[in-house]
């Protein structure tokens, strides 16, 4: 069975010097994370495609959908961030051209300059022919409900580009209580930041303005599937009490969960246990769920072992393992490739 992993981190090798330089300018837990992670073997695994291919081969992973690793390009000044996005996308396209059956990719954009980011979406989807776009969640404290990023969202819709919103460290406006006990990163802060981002988008009416916007979330939806009924219930409750205006809320065209069910796909990155997957399957079905490892931060062996041993019917397994990803990210199926 073909296995496509859909949240697989990479960055050009020289970017890690930029990340460490950035860390020198910050006195935050994020800086400590960057200095802890971005040295030695992990940099090798993120940037060297032969090292990566050997691991894929060892565990039977056919394809990685590559996306730029955190902090990506969004923490930098607009000009540098935009330049880094374009260079990373060129490099990504080159890697895919060299290994078209092993890699697909998501292009990076720098929303610091929304017009330039919109132009890059067009280049990503037409000239570079990548599978979609990735952002590492908030951009220096701004989220995608901000009016100023409309050109970027318009471009995503115009080019039918799925947007993978990958978690990030909480921005300064929220990080305070997450800074202790190592909670700022993937342990808790990532999911808290990313789910906040998405709930902001839903409650701001972003999906009323852009009903065709497609979003992909890792980590089985960053906790949101479990919370959807509550969003609906509380939203309806506030509506009944006439609370929209006093609370500065918007009247939405649909219930919050309906946007999640129609505009979102989720991946299994870092979530290798049975109960959450069964819950997600019950909520959304296998047409909205895709396999992911989160290489190199999670273990390929564990993720692959979990999927292969999960008690799924053959149809659901095929969808999660590769078919849903082929559809969402426009990856040629094996059959298409053979017939070309
Ligand atoms: Mn990840």
């Amino acid at each position: 069975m073909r296995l496509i992993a859909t949240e697989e981190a990479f960055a050009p090798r020289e970017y890690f010097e930029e990340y460490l330089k950035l860390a020198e300018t910050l006195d935050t837990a994020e800086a400590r994370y960057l200095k802890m992670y971005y040295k030695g073997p992990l940099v090798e695994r993120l940037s060297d495609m032969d090292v990566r291919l050997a691991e894929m081969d060892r565990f039977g992973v056919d394809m990685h959908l590559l996306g730029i690793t955190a902090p990506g390009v969004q923490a930098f000044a607009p000009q540098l961030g935009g330049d880094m996005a374009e260079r990373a996308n060129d490099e990504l396209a080159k890697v895919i051209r060299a290994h078209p059956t092993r890699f697909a990719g998501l292009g990076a954009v720098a929303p610091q300059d929304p017009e330039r980011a919109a132009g890059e979406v067009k280049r990503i989807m037409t000239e570079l022919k990548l599978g979609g776009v990735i952002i590492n969640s908030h951009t220096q404290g701004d989220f995608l409900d901000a009016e100023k990023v409309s050109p970027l969202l318009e471009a995503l819709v115009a080019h039918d580009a799925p947007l993978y919103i990958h978690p990030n460290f909480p921005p300064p406006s929220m990080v305070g209580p997450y800074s202790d006990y190592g909670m700022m990163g993937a342990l808790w802060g990532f999911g808290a930041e990313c789910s906040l981002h998405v709930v902001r988008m839903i409650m701001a009416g972003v999906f009323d303005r852009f009903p065709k916007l497609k979003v992909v979330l890792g980590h089985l939806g960053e906790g949101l599937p479990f919370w959807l009924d509550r969003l609906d219930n509380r939203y309806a409750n506030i509506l009944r009490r006439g609370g929209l205006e006093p609370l500065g809320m918007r009247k939405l065209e649909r219930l919050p969960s309906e946007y999640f069910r129609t505009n979102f796909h989720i991946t299994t990155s870092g979530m290798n246990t049975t109960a959450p997957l069964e819950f997600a399957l019950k909520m959304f079905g296998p047409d909205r769920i895709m396999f992911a490892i989160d290489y190199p931060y999670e273990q390929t062996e564990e993720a692959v072992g979990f999927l292969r041993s999960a008690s799924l019917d053959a149809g659901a397994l095929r969808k999660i393992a590769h078919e849903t990803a082929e559809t969402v990210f426009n990856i040629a199926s094996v059959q298409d490739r053979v017939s070309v």
Side-chain angles (χ1 to χ4, degrees):
M1 181 186 56
R2 191 186 200 196
L3 198 49
I4 300 177
T6 56
E7 186 195 300
E8 313 314 317
F10 96 105
R13 185 170 201 110
E14 66 274 16
Y15 282 31
F16 296 97
E17 284 154 38
E18 291 291 345
Y19 297 156
L20 291 176
K21 254 198 280 175
L22 177 75
E24 289 303 329
T25 70
L26 306 169
D27 180 27
T28 60
E30 178 173 358
R32 291 194 286 280
Y33 265 98
L34 294 177
K35 287 182 202 165
M36 180 174 79
Y37 272 90
Y38 290 155
K39 56 183 187 208
L42 195 70
V43 168
E44 202 71 39
R45 296 179 77 209
L46 282 159
S47 57
D48 187 312
M49 292 301 145
D50 292 329
V51 168
R52 181 185 301 261
L53 281 164
E55 178 156 333
M56 291 163 67
D57 288 344
R58 191 163 156 222
F59 296 108
V61 178
D62 294 280
M63 179 177 266
H64 272 191
L65 179 76
L66 301 169
I68 194 161
T69 196
V73 304
Q74 292 157 256
F76 299 93
Q79 177 73 43
L80 177 58
D83 291 349
M84 285 174 76
E86 288 163 23
R87 259 191 293 140
N89 296 340
D90 287 339
E91 168 99 14
L92 185 54
K94 208 166 86 185
V95 166
I96 294 167
R97 274 197 302 275
H99 303 278
T101 64
R102 306 307 304 277
F103 297 122
L106 302 171
V109 294
Q112 300 94 303
D113 181 342
E115 293 290 348
R116 186 173 177 186
E120 187 62 4
V121 169
K122 180 177 179 193
R123 200 177 74 98
I124 287 166
M125 299 306 290
T126 56
E127 193 182 315
L128 301 180
K129 295 190 167 51
L130 300 180
V133 171
I134 185 168
I135 66 161
N136 286 293
S137 205
H138 78 84
T139 302
Q140 301 176 31
D142 285 332
F143 300 93
L144 291 180
D145 58 297
E147 201 65 48
K148 65 183 170 191
V149 297
S150 293
L152 168 58
L153 301 184
E154 280 160 22
L156 290 167
V157 172
H159 296 283
D160 198 22
L163 176 68
Y164 205 121
I165 304 184
H166 186 280
N168 193 352
F169 297 95
S173 56
M174 98 180 254
V175 76
Y178 293 91
S179 298
D180 304 317
Y181 316 123
M183 285 163 43
M184 187 194 221
L187 184 143
W188 187 247
F190 274 21
E193 185 275 340
C194 197
S195 55
L196 170 75
H197 193 161
V198 165
V199 175
R200 282 188 71 95
M201 291 172 75
I202 290 174
M203 298 311 293
V206 167
F207 299 98
D208 290 334
R209 284 162 59 216
F210 300 99
K212 294 197 168 147
L213 183 60
K214 286 188 209 158
V215 174
V216 182
L217 293 177
H219 317 99
L220 282 177
E222 310 293 357
L224 285 169
F226 200 74
W227 205 252
L228 289 180
D229 292 339
R230 183 116 179 105
L231 287 180
D232 287 355
N233 174 306
R234 289 295 95 191
Y235 173 73
N237 185 279
I238 292 167
L239 259 188
R240 274 200 307 278
R241 290 171 189 271
L244 287 191
E245 206 180 314
L247 297 180
M249 293 170 70
R250 265 170 224 256
K251 175 87 172 72
L252 301 174
E253 288 173 18
R254 295 186 282 160
L255 286 171
S257 71
E258 292 174 47
Y259 302 102
F260 201 91
R261 286 173 197 285
T262 51
N263 293 77
F264 286 72
H265 289 78
I266 62 179
T267 79
T268 63
S269 55
M271 303 291 276
N272 299 316
T273 51
T274 304
L277 179 62
E278 282 178 354
F279 179 71
L281 266 168
K282 245 184 214 159
M283 292 284 280
F284 311 113
D287 291 315
R288 301 226 162 239
I289 303 176
M290 298 177 273
F291 174 67
I293 300 165
D294 205 0
Y295 171 97
Y297 303 106
E298 302 283 349
Q299 301 310 309
T300 303
E301 182 173 18
E302 187 186 344
V304 171
F306 169 65
L307 184 71
R308 291 202 188 280
S309 67
S311 59
L312 298 164
D313 67 69
L317 181 60
R318 267 202 315 275
K319 284 181 178 182
I320 295 172
H322 66 99
E323 288 177 354
T324 303
E326 288 163 357
T327 305
V328 173
F329 300 112
N330 199 22
I331 296 168
S333 68
V334 174
Q335 203 137 28
D336 288 348
R337 273 209 326 268
V338 170
S339 62
V340 164

